[in-house]
């Protein structure tokens, strides 16, 4: 019976009129365990792509290469083989939602050159990457090495290879739009109360900076529905999610959120908006959120946008409306030495120099060097130029009533 | 899904009461008087309702779900344009104190009292529209007692702690905590090391983000970890299956390979209480004293005492346990103790084994201790290419920590940072920043571990591990004097 139930799910999968939610509810109501649920994620993605050529099996199943089967055969095969020995066909959730120890073919790794200069690299057998320190040969220098290793390049210089994280990706991703940075992302994640299992709606996808962070947080059982009205950007985002092995956790829809909404209703725990006119999407956001409530956030650079958004939120019955702004201050750690003015006092008269050198045994305390006439101390010096404003974040709660 | 939206309030739950911006964590128990925002009531009637329900407090201290009321603002509003003719003679309100008290004693709804106040205010009509709004808001806040019961979350609890008991969490502001969770790449499946003296708030936040997947090793000072705030989250039982603890005092021996489980710190329960007291009272006093010596304190030093503790968390689990324990016979007690001791040893061995692997996926430190020695030791247990985040209330210790880490090597992308948070009032034609919070939220030092180039010396550890195989539980139990 158990078998049959799941098989039904498979055979129905190719009926184009089926929608994701039906599948999801079927799966969830059939008391499947987590492993099979990730299997569902896979099916859902396959179904969503609907074109077999688009599916890179390598991204999902740890088998050598893509077998030339029809989609159904493949899925049935996958299902039954997982049914027999789940461990053998573990879905390869690479890097962005799960740490791996060693660098593998197909991974996205971060090449760290020092002084915050780094860039992402797609690891491929036979590829080479040029850095200012010389060439890195993927097959010999990267594949099989531990993440965090020092890699010596051809010119004798060295770099570190880092495991990708959403935060490193944010620092290195190709910009297709203005992006959100980790400071804003962190407060968004906490204030939207996201955690593993959360269902989140996002628009627009943009360059996918926030998307990666959201996916990381809601994995392995949550899902991100992201909407982008720009076709090329939507396509690019899909491709990136595939490359990063997280496509089973995200659904990209190419439509206008203000006109057509998120394409889902009553399933989201949280909604995030980063669009020019968020007030036009509040209604859609409300219907995307679960009936029993959820959280919403809107990001806007201008206060006029915030005003209209707040009015719309109030109109749609959102409560706890709260607008805030978060700013990051970074400090350089420096040892500073200040000169002591010569006031014509005798050099050996320490007490009259006017500063406290109370604890000379402790290295870190300001150490006075009277011969040279300077005092040394450590200081956290603010950077000369810092980001003064990214945007206002407006949060609210969809309440019960 | 336990604790998802739509969950119902059950007896024994940990819930959070909310009134405007004020929160209070309580455990839902029948026939138990709760005092919140100068009001007293019982939670009995809330049981069975959905989380997120708003209640009104009736005169007998009962809660009843608030009925949605239609704002009756059909009458054409009269309002002045400015305040040139409004004189403060103290006679604008015709109702006396006694009148208002009488209304309250009759059990008249707060809404009606507010309406009465407006009708009996001679200056109300002359006020500007904005001033009228403000007046109504102020009176509503005072006379309309509505309380919402919400499910605990990191957002709510970290806001609550920062507002009510910042001393207990080393003044870790909630936006700073949010940064830590993101910079630390906390997510399901991680093996995390957490060292905190923030009443268990940081631990709870990490647990929430990991959703029960992966494992956490909590390093604790003294006799046991303090988890007062962790218990407010109301996590399901399985979340604790992979939560381990390890005494800080054993870290050096673990690193040098001389670790054994024979000498344990004293019973965690007794000690945890002592810890709480000393953290809460003497520590606070000391620091505030030191601070006042250095500068004339502009504000009274904050003192935290057990009664205040009681005010934030009305959790009476200890009482219940205490009574139960008393009923048991002494013999049983001895046996229990031995079993407990044995269990603890087993858990300690497990934690030690996990640490020995030296492959943790991250390190989170937020404590009252100097961060440098903690980092230099605990980073040994972290795998390369993993993030670590250290919180400190003050900038200076992190400056030193930064320098020492640079000397040690094995870390890159070190960053010392702080966040500022600014709240806004957004209203038509009346938008402006509210209070700005800067400083007092603490500082963070974050970075990424890399392979440390030095002689490999951890092959001997695996040998020691084999020696420490825990013997099976059954034969241990037989050895006990029955």
């Amino acid at each position: 019976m158990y078998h049959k139930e799941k098989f039904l799910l498979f055979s129905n999968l190719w009926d184009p009129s089926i929608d994701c939610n039906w599948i999801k509810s079927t799966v969830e109501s059939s008391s499947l365990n987590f492993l099979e649920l990730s299997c569902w994620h896979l099916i859902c993605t396959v179904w969503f792509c609907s074109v077999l050529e688009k599916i890179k099996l390598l991204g999902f199943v740890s088998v050598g290469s893509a077998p030339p089967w029809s989609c159904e055969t493949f899925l049935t095969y996958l299902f039954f083989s997982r049914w027999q020995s789940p461990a053998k066909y573990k879905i390869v959730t690479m890097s962005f939602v799960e740490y791996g120890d060693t660098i593998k073919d197909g991974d996205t790794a971060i090449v760290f050159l020092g002084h915050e200069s780094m860039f992402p690299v797609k690891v491929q057998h036979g590829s080479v990457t040029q850095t200012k320190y010389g060439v890195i040969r993927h097959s010999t220098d990267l594949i099989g090495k531990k993440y965090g290793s020092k890699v010596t390049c051809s010119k004798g210089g060295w770099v570190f290879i880092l495991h990708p994280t959403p935060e490193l990706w944010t620092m290195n991703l190709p910009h297709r739009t203005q992006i959100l940075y980790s400071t804003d992302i962190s407060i968004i994640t906490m204030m939207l109360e996201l955690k593993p299992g959360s269902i989140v709606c996002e628009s627009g996808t943009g360059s996918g900076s926030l998307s990666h962070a959201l996916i990381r947080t809601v994995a392995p059982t949550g899902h991100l529905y992201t909407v982008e009205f720009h076709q090329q950007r939507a396509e690019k985002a899909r491709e990136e999610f595939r490359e990063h092995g997280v496509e089973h956790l995200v659904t990209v829809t190419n439509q206008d959120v203000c006109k057509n909404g998120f394409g889902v209703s009553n399933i989201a725990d949280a909604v995030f908006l980063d669009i020019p006119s968020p007030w036009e999407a509040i209604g859609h956001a409300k219907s995307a959120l679960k009936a029993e409530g959820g959280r919403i956030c809107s990001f806007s650079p201008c206060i006029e946008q915030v005003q209209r958004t707040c009015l719309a939120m109030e109109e749609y019955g959102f409560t706890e409306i709260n607008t805030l702004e978060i700013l990051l201050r970074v400090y350089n750690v420096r040892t500073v030495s200040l000169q002591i003015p010569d006031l014509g006092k005798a050099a050996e008269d320490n007490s009259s120099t006017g500063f406290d050198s109370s604890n000379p045994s402790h290295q870190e305390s300001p150490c006075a060097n009277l011969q040279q006439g300077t005092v040394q101390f450590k200081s956290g010096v603010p950077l000369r130029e810092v980001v003064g404003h990214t945007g206002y974040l407006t949060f609210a709660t969809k309440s019960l009533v | 899904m336990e604790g998802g939206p739509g969950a119902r309030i059950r007896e024994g739950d940990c819930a959070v009461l909310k009134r405007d911006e004020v929160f209070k964590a309580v455990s839902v128990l029948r026939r138990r008087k709760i005092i919140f925002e100068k009001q007293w009531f019982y939670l009995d009637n809330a049981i069975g309702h959905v989380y997120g329900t708003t209640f009104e407090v009736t005169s007998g201290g009962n809660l009843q779900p608030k009925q949605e009321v239609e704002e009756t603002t059909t009458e054409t509003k009269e309002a002045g344009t400015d305040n040139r003719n409004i004189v403060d003679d103290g006679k604008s309100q015709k109702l006396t104190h006694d009148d208002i008290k009488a209304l309250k004693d009759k059990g008249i709804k707060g809404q009606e009292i507010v309406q009465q106040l407006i009708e009996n205010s001679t200056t109300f009509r002359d006020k500007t529209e904005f001033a009228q709004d403000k007046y109504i808001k102020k009176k509503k806040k005072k006379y309309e007692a509505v309380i919402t019961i919400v499910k605990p979350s990191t957002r709510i609890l970290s806001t609550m702690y920062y507002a009510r008991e910042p001393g207990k969490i080393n003044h870790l502001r909630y936006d700073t905590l949010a940064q830590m969770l993101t910079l630390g790449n906390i997510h399901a499946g991680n093996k995390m090391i957490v060292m905190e003296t923030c009443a268990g708030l940081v631990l709870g936040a990490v647990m929430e983000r990991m959703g029960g997947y992966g494992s956490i090793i909590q390093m604790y000072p003294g006799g046991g970890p303090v988890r007062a705030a962790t218990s407010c989250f109301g996590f399901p039982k399985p979340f604790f299956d992979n939560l381990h603890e390890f005494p800080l005092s054993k870290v050096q021996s673990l690193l040098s390979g001389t670790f054994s489980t024979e000498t344990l710190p004293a019973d965690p329960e007794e000690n945890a209480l002592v810890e709480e007291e000393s953290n809460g009272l003497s520590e606070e006093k000391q620091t505030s004293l030191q601070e006042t010596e250095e500068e004339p304190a502009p504000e009274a030093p904050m003192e935290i005492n057990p009664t205040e503790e009681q005010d934030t968390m009305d959790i009476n689990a200890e009482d219940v346990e205490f009574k139960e324990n008393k009923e048991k016979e002494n013999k049983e007690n001895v046996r229990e103790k031995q079993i407990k001791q044995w269990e603890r040893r087993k858990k300690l061995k497990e934690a030690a084994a996990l640490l020995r692997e030296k492959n943790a996926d991250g390190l989170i430190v937020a404590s009252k201790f100097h961060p440098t020695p903690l980092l230099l030791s605990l980073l040994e247990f972290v795998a390369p290419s993993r993030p670590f985040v250290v919180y400190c209330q003050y900038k200076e210790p992190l400056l030193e920590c930064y320098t020492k880490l640079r000397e040690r090597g094995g870390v890159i992308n070190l960053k010392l940072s702080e966040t500022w948070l600014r709240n806004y009032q957004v209203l038509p034609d009346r938008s402006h920043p509210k209070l700005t919070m800067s400083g007092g939220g603490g500082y963070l030092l974050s970075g990424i571990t890399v392979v440390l180039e030095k002689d490999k010396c951890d092959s001997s550890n695996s040998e020691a591990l084999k020696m420490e195989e825990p013997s099976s539980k059954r034969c241990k139990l037989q050895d006990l004097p029955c």
Side-chain angles (χ1 to χ4, degrees):
Chain A
M1 190 212 93
Y2 200 38
H3 267 210
K4 255 189 202 158
E5 195 174 51
K6 277 189 282 182
F7 210 12
L8 171 93
L9 187 70
F10 279 89
S11 51
N12 277 343
L13 210 58
W14 302 103
D15 175 0
S17 65
I18 284 179
D19 79 318
C20 272
N21 294 339
W22 178 84
I23 299 173
K24 189 169 191 290
S25 60
T26 313
V27 170
E28 280 174 352
S29 64
S30 64
S31 65
L32 299 183
N33 63 30
F34 160 65
L35 193 89
E36 282 136 0
L37 206 65
S38 25
C39 182
W40 166 75
H41 276 310
L42 169 104
I43 299 157
C44 188
T45 321
V46 170
W47 169 78
F48 203 86
C49 296
S50 75
V51 182
L52 180 60
E53 282 72 39
K54 279 193 181 174
I55 305 164
K56 273 196 192 158
L57 292 176
L58 261 183
F60 291 119
V61 191
S62 49
V63 289
S65 62
W69 303 318
S70 80
C71 215
E72 259 162 300
T73 329
F74 160 65
L75 284 173
T76 324
Y77 166 77
L78 180 86
F79 165 61
F80 281 113
S81 55
R82 283 168 61 88
W83 181 248
Q84 283 151 15
S85 62
K88 194 172 161 191
Y89 289 97
K90 184 179 164 233
I91 288 180
V92 181
T93 41
M94 180 209 106
S95 40
F96 278 79
V97 288
E98 200 180 311
Y99 281 117
D101 283 338
T102 55
I103 305 165
K104 295 189 297 290
D105 191 13
D107 279 8
T108 301
I110 308 289
V111 178
F112 185 88
L113 303 153
H115 301 295
E116 288 199 35
S117 108
M118 45 187 154
F119 62 88
V121 61
K122 197 163 164 32
V123 180
Q124 282 175 310
H125 263 296
S127 279
V128 293
T129 299
Q130 298 285 349
T131 73
K132 60 180 179 185
Y133 301 118
V135 168
I136 303 171
R137 291 186 177 71
H138 293 202
S139 307
T140 52
D141 298 340
L142 299 184
I143 295 174
K145 287 256 171 64
K146 240 187 159 151
Y147 274 111
S149 306
K150 207 183 234 187
V151 169
T152 310
C153 310
S154 60
K155 289 182 190 168
W158 41 261
V159 297
F160 283 106
I161 307 294
L162 298 182
H163 197 292
T165 64
E167 286 59 55
L168 286 173
W169 183 245
T170 291
M171 300 306 294
N172 292 293
L173 56 81
H175 285 224
R176 303 183 280 275
T177 53
Q178 179 63 264
I179 64 163
L180 279 170
Y181 288 96
S182 297
T183 312
D184 286 305
I185 288 173
S186 63
I187 196 95
I188 290 165
T189 310
M190 185 165 100
M191 290 299 185
L192 287 180
E193 302 189 339
L194 301 182
K195 50 183 187 272
S198 299
I199 308 286
V200 195
C201 291
E202 177 203 27
S203 187
T205 315
S207 308
S209 169
L210 176 69
S211 313
H212 278 84
L214 296 177
I215 291 168
R216 173 265 316 273
T217 304
V218 306
T221 49
H223 201 82
L224 170 68
Y225 293 91
T226 184
V227 176
E228 171 62 55
F229 67 179
H230 188 284
Q231 202 199 326
Q232 255 183 314
R233 283 205 290 261
E235 206 41 62
K236 201 84 191 81
R238 272 194 203 115
E239 203 178 303
E240 257 166 26
F241 295 139
R242 247 198 311 280
E243 274 182 14
H244 297 161
V246 295
E247 62 181 317
H248 57 292
L249 297 164
V250 56
T251 304
V252 185
T253 313
N254 175 214
Q255 64 188 30
D256 183 348
V257 73
C258 297
K259 287 200 182 72
N260 311 322
F262 292 93
V264 293
S265 59
N266 291 334
I267 66 163
D269 297 294
V271 171
F272 176 80
L273 293 167
D274 179 7
I275 51 174
S277 51
W279 56 91
E280 291 177 5
I282 300 295
H284 295 297
K286 192 179 178 179
S287 59
L289 285 165
K290 282 178 176 159
E292 52 275 30
R295 296 274 295 164
I296 185 173
C297 172
S298 167
F299 175 92
S300 297
C302 308
I303 197 78
E304 291 82 0
Q305 293 169 299
V306 177
Q307 294 236 330
R308 298 179 73 164
T309 308
C310 286
L311 281 175
M313 283 177 177
E314 215 156 317
E315 204 179 305
Y316 280 101
F318 282 91
T319 55
E320 276 191 286
I321 302 171
N322 176 25
T323 300
L324 54 85
E325 174 181 37
I326 185 165
L327 282 177
L328 179 70
R329 307 267 300 172
V330 178
Y331 298 97
N332 280 328
V333 180
R334 296 254 167 80
T335 304
V336 184
S337 53
L338 290 182
Q339 277 196 355
I340 299 161
D342 179 8
L343 300 174
K345 288 227 163 71
E348 56 270 11
D349 188 5
N350 267 2
S351 56
S352 60
T353 49
F355 64 84
D356 176 30
S357 56
S358 56
N359 193 1
S361 63
H362 188 32
Q363 277 192 339
E364 302 310 323
S365 65
C367 61
N369 187 334
L370 290 175
Q371 267 72 41
Q372 286 171 18
T374 59
V375 182
Q376 275 201 343
F377 60 93
K378 281 206 180 72
S379 173
V381 186
L383 308 187
R384 259 205 308 174
E385 266 202 4
V386 290
V387 176
H389 176 72
T390 51
Y392 300 104
L393 291 162
T394 304
F395 294 93
T397 303
K398 176 187 176 180
S399 36
L400 280 166
V401 194
Chain B
M1 267 295 286
E2 193 175 359
R8 294 192 176 270
I9 301 166
R10 291 168 314 177
E11 196 174 359
D13 273 7
C14 304
V16 177
L17 309 177
K18 174 180 177 293
R19 185 176 164 185
D20 296 316
E21 308 277 295
V22 186
F23 295 107
K24 177 175 180 165
V26 293
S27 65
V28 182
L29 294 168
R30 288 185 194 272
R31 293 179 306 281
R32 184 129 175 267
K33 200 174 187 174
I34 303 263
I35 297 169
F36 177 50
E37 289 285 270
K38 296 180 189 150
Q39 284 187 297
W40 59 271
F41 48 87
Y42 297 92
L43 290 175
D44 297 46
N45 286 357
I47 293 168
H49 285 281
V50 178
Y51 275 102
T53 307
T54 302
F55 298 90
E56 271 178 298
V57 183
T58 61
S59 47
N62 286 317
L63 296 176
Q64 61 183 123
K66 191 174 188 295
Q67 309 299 321
E68 270 303 290
V69 266
E70 302 244 337
E71 296 279 323
T72 47
T73 48
T74 43
E75 53 178 295
T76 45
K77 270 193 182 170
E78 277 184 78
T81 47
D82 56 43
N83 60 9
R84 73 184 72 191
N85 296 321
I86 295 181
V87 186
D88 183 9
D89 55 3
K91 294 177 195 161
S92 58
Q93 182 55 255
K94 290 209 197 70
L95 290 179
T96 60
H97 267 291
D98 297 340
D99 294 340
I100 298 170
K101 198 173 178 301
L103 286 176
K104 272 205 220 168
D105 291 343
K106 269 190 219 163
I108 284 177
K109 280 223 166 91
Q111 232 180 335
E112 283 165 34
I113 297 179
V114 174
Q115 200 55 43
Q116 295 262 8
L117 286 170
I118 291 170
E119 278 163 22
N120 288 292
S121 163
T122 49
T123 48
F124 186 80
R125 280 152 194 262
D126 304 331
K127 286 178 195 272
T128 64
E129 216 178 306
F130 297 153
Q132 288 181 355
D133 269 358
K134 208 168 168 177
Y135 181 87
I136 295 171
K137 244 191 193 151
K138 224 162 85 182
K139 298 299 175 202
K140 268 191 171 174
K141 200 171 172 174
K142 195 167 171 184
Y143 294 104
E144 286 190 22
V146 291
I147 283 158
T148 310
I149 301 187
V150 292
K151 257 218 116 44
S153 68
T154 302
R155 167 178 76 99
I156 287 163
L157 292 175
S158 59
T159 310
M160 177 185 88
Y161 261 92
Y162 189 74
R164 292 179 85 104
E165 299 190 299
K168 277 224 160 59
I169 55 167
N170 306 301
H171 295 260
L172 168 69
R173 204 175 51 220
Y174 48 94
D175 53 314
T176 313
L177 176 61
Q179 300 301 311
M180 292 178 79
L181 297 168
T182 296
L183 290 173
N185 191 21
I186 312 293
H187 65 278
N190 270 8
K191 173 176 172 180
M192 291 300 304
I193 300 176
V194 177
M195 162 58 209
E196 63 123 277
T197 56
C198 297
L201 178 72
V202 175
L203 175 71
V206 171
M207 284 169 77
E208 187 185 81
R209 283 288 171 91
M210 287 174 57
Y213 303 95
S215 55
I216 303 170
I217 305 121
Q218 183 184 10
M219 317 300 283
Y220 62 88
V226 177
R227 291 179 184 162
T230 319
S231 61
C232 296
F233 282 82
F235 289 124
K237 275 224 159 51
F239 275 43
F240 294 91
D241 292 347
N242 285 317
L243 172 60
H244 306 267
E245 56 269 353
F246 191 84
L248 263 185
S249 54
K250 294 271 181 190
V251 166
Q252 272 327 319
S253 66
L254 189 68
L255 284 170
S256 62
T258 56
F259 171 78
S260 85
T261 55
E262 292 316 301
T263 48
L264 280 172
D267 198 313
E269 279 156 36
E270 293 162 27
N271 255 342
L273 284 175
V274 177
E275 269 287 307
E276 271 285 73
E277 301 260 320
S278 67
N279 287 358
L281 273 167
S282 50
E283 285 281 336
E284 274 290 321
K285 266 192 187 149
Q286 272 176 18
T287 48
S288 52
L289 270 178
Q290 280 166 10
E291 278 172 18
T292 45
E293 272 170 16
E294 280 164 21
E295 47 177 73
E299 49 196 338
M302 215 177 131
E303 280 197 21
I304 288 178
N305 52 45
T307 50
E308 243 179 285
E309 158 86 22
Q310 206 59 17
D311 197 38
T312 300
M313 288 165 299
D314 259 308
I315 288 166
N316 249 11
E318 282 114 304
D319 298 16
V320 181
E321 263 191 20
F322 183 65
K323 272 181 199 147
E324 284 177 356
N325 281 353
K326 257 198 161 171
E327 290 159 18
K328 277 182 185 154
E329 284 181 39
N330 266 352
K331 247 189 192 176
E332 282 254 313
N333 264 354
V334 172
R335 209 191 131 127
E336 284 258 314
K337 258 201 173 132
Q338 278 176 305
I339 293 175
K340 251 196 179 151
Q341 181 87 336
W342 184 85
E343 289 263 314
R344 280 185 63 219
R345 247 181 222 167
K346 188 167 156 253
K347 281 217 79 164
L348 187 69
K349 274 180 188 168
E350 281 171 21
L354 281 172
L355 288 170
R356 268 205 202 88
E357 292 171 351
K358 297 194 175 181
N359 65 352
D361 291 320
L363 170 66
I364 299 283
V365 177
S367 76
K368 59 181 184 192
F369 300 105
H370 199 296
T372 307
L374 284 173
L375 259 273
L376 292 178
S377 296
L378 297 181
L379 275 177
E380 299 287 321
F381 300 118
V382 182
S385 195
R386 298 292 186 270
F388 62 89
V389 192
V390 195
Y391 167 82
C392 190
Q393 194 185 334
Y394 309 100
K395 201 200 288 179
E396 292 72 13
L398 292 179
L399 295 175
E400 193 203 336
C401 194
Y402 179 100
T403 315
K404 286 279 189 289
L405 284 177
R406 269 283 157 82
E407 285 168 19
R408 170 191 180 266
V411 292
I412 53 166
N413 213 25
L414 284 182
K415 202 176 250 164
L416 176 58
S417 67
E418 169 195 21
T419 47
W420 287 0
L421 191 70
R422 193 169 217 191
N423 278 290
Y424 285 81
Q425 166 181 301
V426 179
L427 289 169
D429 303 324
R430 282 161 293 166
S431 299
H432 58 72
K434 278 191 214 164
L435 73 169
T436 152
M437 309 201 297
S438 68
Y443 299 86
L444 294 176
L445 177 63
S446 62
I448 302 170
T449 57
V450 288
V451 173
L452 187 58
E453 285 154 328
K454 57 175 191 185
D455 300 330
K456 285 182 180 125
C457 58
D458 36 306
S459 54
S460 57
N461 277 349
S462 57
E463 293 290 320
L465 195 62
K466 276 176 193 155
M467 301 284 285
E468 288 230 11
E469 283 290 30
S471 43
S472 86
K473 187 173 174 176
R474 205 167 300 146
C475 64
K476 262 286 191 206
L477 285 178
Q478 282 164 357
D479 292 348
L480 293 170
C482 296

